[in-house]
Amino acid sequence: MAKEVETAEQGGGEFSAKDYHDPPPAPLIDAEELFKWSFYRALIAEFIATLLFLYVSVLTVIGYKVQTDTLKNTVDADCGGVGILGIAWAFGGMIFILVYCTAGISGGHINPAVTFGLFLGRKVSLIRAIMYMVAQCLGAICGCGLVKAFQKTYYNTYGGGANELQSGYNKGTGLGAEIIGTFVLVYTVFSATDPKRSARDSHVPVLAPLPIGFAVFMVHLATIPITGTGINPARSFGAAVIYNREKAWDDQWIFWVGPFVGAAIAAFYHQYILRAAAIKALGSFRSNA
């Protein structure tokens, strides 16, 4: 299918056919953001989105554990709760919904690892990245706090949705699962929002939040049995703060180091290998792919 291509005449009779425009890299420190309402509106959006994400997802986890508790009378022999598949859908579905709702306001990060990866890719400034992470962590704490306020007994009895390394797995396995899982997520974020991909596939009506939500869904299917699936430091931190048990804190470093390393690798792979940003910056190579 043919599509329109912007053609601009250059010096010496050369022509450039480029149907996309890369946005300029974000400045490392942009103090002017602190004086703009749009910046604080974005912080509020990240806070509320992360709060809703934790509220729905943690409720789903606790509800599943209640339904499958053989000591309770809530066990449905024909169903047995939503299962791992349902939990994965809750996490992936909420990310799809919330990214769709907030993408035009804050970019729809809802995850410090995503924010960190986009910062390394020069998509957001350092000030915005730090403030986003603070808003996300506070939102996660409040979201888990709401769950505990409504279902305190169930929350404390069934683990509060806190991420912990599951029995039978060592810390290296858990760390590796978090690194690879976050790589999949952040790589998907870069690919889904890449202006070059969007221009090439403009005839394919793919909504960017959809593959991002599916990435979260698929990673949860793979890693719930290992770590309960973090891939989002705010999600792990918020649950640990409200649940506040030793095991959750002992394993907390896995859910920060793993996602940040995975995000960094994804940013490097997409920006400096697939998009050849470093080589282009040197002016020694132009990608015609």
Side-chain angles (χ1 to χ4, degrees):
M1 181 182 293
K3 59 183 178 181
E4 296 181 1
V5 178
E6 295 181 5
T7 306
E9 185 172 359
Q10 310 241 332
E14 295 180 356
F15 290 86
S16 172
K18 187 174 181 179
D19 56 350
Y20 71 96
H21 298 281
D22 284 317
L28 178 61
I29 297 177
D30 186 4
E32 293 183 2
E33 288 184 314
L34 297 175
F35 302 97
K36 296 179 180 178
W37 163 242
S38 60
F39 175 69
Y40 295 98
R41 182 181 61 182
L43 293 179
I44 294 171
E46 287 292 312
F47 172 82
I48 296 297
T50 313
L51 183 155
L52 294 174
F53 174 57
L54 267 293
Y55 175 74
V56 172
S57 58
V58 170
L59 267 181
T60 303
V61 172
I62 293 175
Y64 166 67
K65 291 185 176 180
V66 172
Q67 288 178 309
T68 55
D69 187 346
T70 56
L71 299 179
K72 299 286 183 180
N73 295 322
T74 55
V75 177
D76 185 344
D78 296 326
C79 178
V82 297
I84 290 179
L85 183 64
I87 293 173
W89 271 122
F91 280 88
M94 280 303 292
I95 288 297
F96 168 68
I97 293 168
L98 294 170
V99 170
Y100 177 81
C101 292
T102 60
I105 301 171
S106 65
H109 296 193
I110 321 173
N111 184 337
V114 171
T115 300
F116 181 66
L118 293 174
F119 165 69
L120 294 180
R122 299 294 303 277
K123 306 296 185 182
V124 295
S125 69
L126 178 61
I127 292 176
R128 183 175 290 264
I130 292 173
M131 295 302 293
Y132 270 24
M133 292 180 193
V134 172
Q136 291 155 1
C137 288
L138 291 176
I141 292 171
C142 292
C144 291
L146 282 178
V147 176
K148 186 174 182 178
F150 295 149
Q151 299 188 9
K152 184 174 182 179
T153 301
Y154 285 159
Y155 187 90
N156 291 328
T157 302
Y158 296 105
N163 286 128
E164 298 176 355
L165 186 65
Q166 303 301 304
S167 59
Y169 296 96
N170 60 43
K171 293 186 184 298
T173 301
L175 181 63
E178 290 295 310
I179 291 173
I180 296 173
T182 310
F183 173 87
V184 172
L185 170 59
V186 178
Y187 175 39
T188 303
V189 170
F190 272 103
S191 298
T193 58
D194 189 340
K196 186 174 184 178
R197 185 213 61 81
S198 299
R200 280 180 169 176
D201 302 335
S202 60
H203 59 286
V204 182
V206 176
L207 198 62
L210 185 60
I212 296 172
F214 262 105
V216 173
F217 167 69
M218 295 304 296
V219 171
H220 273 75
L221 286 182
T223 60
I224 284 176
I226 303 174
T227 61
T229 308
I231 68 171
N232 184 334
R235 175 261 185 273
S236 303
F237 180 70
V241 168
I242 301 301
Y243 186 54
N244 197 27
R245 301 293 172 85
E246 184 178 355
K247 175 63 174 172
W249 286 117
D250 286 345
D251 295 338
Q252 186 66 199
W253 68 272
I254 295 174
F255 303 104
W256 284 87
V257 175
F260 274 43
V261 171
I265 296 172
F268 177 83
Y269 175 64
H270 184 271
Q271 294 295 99
Y272 296 99
I273 296 180
L274 297 186
R275 294 299 304 276
I279 299 177
K280 288 179 182 178
L282 294 174
S284 60
F285 175 80
R286 289 188 61 86
S287 174
N288 294 318

